[in-house]
Amino acid sequence: MPASTVALEILTDEELSVLTPGPGAVVTPFLSAVPDAERDAVRRTALRGLVARGIVDPPAVDATATPTPGSDGTEVEVDAMVRQDVLSALTLRQAARRVVAVARTTATGQDFWYAHLVDEIALLEEVGSDGLHRFALGHTAALAELLAGATLHPDAADGTGEPVVLTGSPDGEAPPELLEHLGAAYVRADVLVIDADRDERPAMTGLFTGPRGSWSVVADPTTGRVSARPETVASLRARVEALASEATASTDPATEVAP
């Protein structure tokens, strides 16, 4: 039985830019495409939408919307009351020190999946290319199952072929056989475990899965070494479990995932 989750509110890029101090690790596909000169107007329109949907109480008559400099242009600050369920979700989002970030690519497009981890709670956030953020609550203890559901094709099959190691040199090229294997995947999921308390860049794990075989590709940012290997369904799940263990480890060094 899949891990249970509780669906929460759906918010847009623009609405989140009004409600939060910044996107953090999360992408904003729609808002990022809006010219800087137009963002203030877009945010003001988003605020009206939040009020109309009952997520934000109308600001007091004498309240002033104050433009403040932001990393991506002008941000608008207003004194307003946010509905409690939305406020609780956004508080969890801001409090998370570890985030599992996934970029998923299929034949029909790309979307993004995040698990913001705060103690035993996992705030899940799915972001479409349209800039809609779908929130849900899950349990940190079920992260491995949640991550598997977000990254692995349901009909994934065992991969075949030989492992390949690529160097970080500009002249390094992937062999045609590897490109053929990776190109046969139905789902590509690039996974990062982001720890706000660590300075080093995290390794990226790419999971290429589908009925025609499955592979993993791990890129080490410190050495530029990229290793690709065929995966069985069992080893895929073990790799996902290791990534989940890394994300949920308390104060111990992160669990190493085999390259």
Side-chain angles (χ1 to χ4, degrees), residues 98-166:
R98 287 185 183 170
V99 179
V100 181
V102 179
R104 299 184 293 205
T105 306
T106 67
T108 58
Q110 186 179 49
D111 67 353
F112 304 86
W113 183 94
Y114 301 88
H116 307 273
L117 307 177
V118 182
D119 299 326
E120 72 278 6
I121 298 175
L123 177 69
L124 309 178
E125 181 175 359
E126 291 192 52
V127 187
S129 58
D130 53 5
L132 293 180
H133 299 242
R134 293 171 169 82
F135 291 93
L137 283 179
H139 295 284
T140 298
L143 180 61
E145 189 175 354
L146 293 168
L147 184 57
T151 58
L152 306 182
H153 190 280
D155 297 322
D158 295 349
T160 58
E162 295 298 324
V164 177
V165 176
L166 306 174

Side-chain angles (χ1 to χ4, degrees), residues 14-29:
E14 315 93 276
E15 290 170 341
L16 283 167
S17 73
V18 172
L19 296 171
T20 65
V26 179
V27 298
T28 54

Side-chain angles (χ1 to χ4, degrees), residues 4-199:
S4 62
T5 60
V6 177
L8 301 176
E9 189 59 73
I10 299 175
L11 299 170
T12 67
D13 285 352
E14 315 93 276
E15 290 170 341
L16 283 167
S17 73
V18 172
L19 296 171
T20 65
V26 179
V27 298
T28 54
F30 176 81
L31 189 59
S32 296
V34 175
D36 289 347
E38 300 176 17
R39 291 190 182 183
D40 185 51
V42 166
R43 288 189 174 103
R44 290 178 185 277
T45 301
L47 176 58
R48 287 174 56 83
L50 289 167
V51 171
R53 292 164 60 194
I55 293 174
V56 170
D57 286 344
V61 175
D62 57 351
T64 303
T66 306
T68 59
S71 60
D72 59 353
T74 300
E75 295 181 354
V76 177
E77 289 186 354
V78 293
D79 293 326
M81 293 293 293
V82 181
R83 201 175 70 201
Q84 187 58 50
D85 62 323
V86 173
L87 179 60
S88 297
L90 297 181
T91 300
L92 286 171
R93 189 178 188 254
Q94 292 299 121
R97 304 300 294 170
R98 287 185 183 170
V99 179
V100 181
V102 179
R104 299 184 293 205
T105 306
T106 67
T108 58
Q110 186 179 49
D111 67 353
F112 304 86
W113 183 94
Y114 301 88
H116 307 273
L117 307 177
V118 182
D119 299 326
E120 72 278 6
I121 298 175
L123 177 69
L124 309 178
E125 181 175 359
E126 291 192 52
V127 187
S129 58
D130 53 5
L132 293 180
H133 299 242
R134 293 171 169 82
F135 291 93
L137 283 179
H139 295 284
T140 298
L143 180 61
E145 189 175 354
L146 293 168
L147 184 57
T151 58
L152 306 182
H153 190 280
D155 297 322
D158 295 349
T160 58
E162 295 298 324
V164 177
V165 176
L166 306 174
T167 66
S169 67
D171 298 329
E173 292 185 2
E177 296 83 0
L178 174 59
L179 295 178
E180 182 178 350
H181 284 303
L182 300 184
Y186 285 28
V187 178
R188 170 181 175 173
D190 294 320
V191 185
L192 284 174
V193 177
I194 303 170
D195 189 331
D197 299 318
R198 297 190 178 211
D199 294 331

Side-chain angles (χ1 to χ4, degrees), residues 144-145 147 234-246 248 255:
E145 189 175 354
L147 184 57
S235 67
L236 276 173
R237 291 197 168 273
R239 186 172 289 279
V240 168
E241 288 174 3
L243 287 165
S245 295
E246 176 184 344
T248 56
T255 302

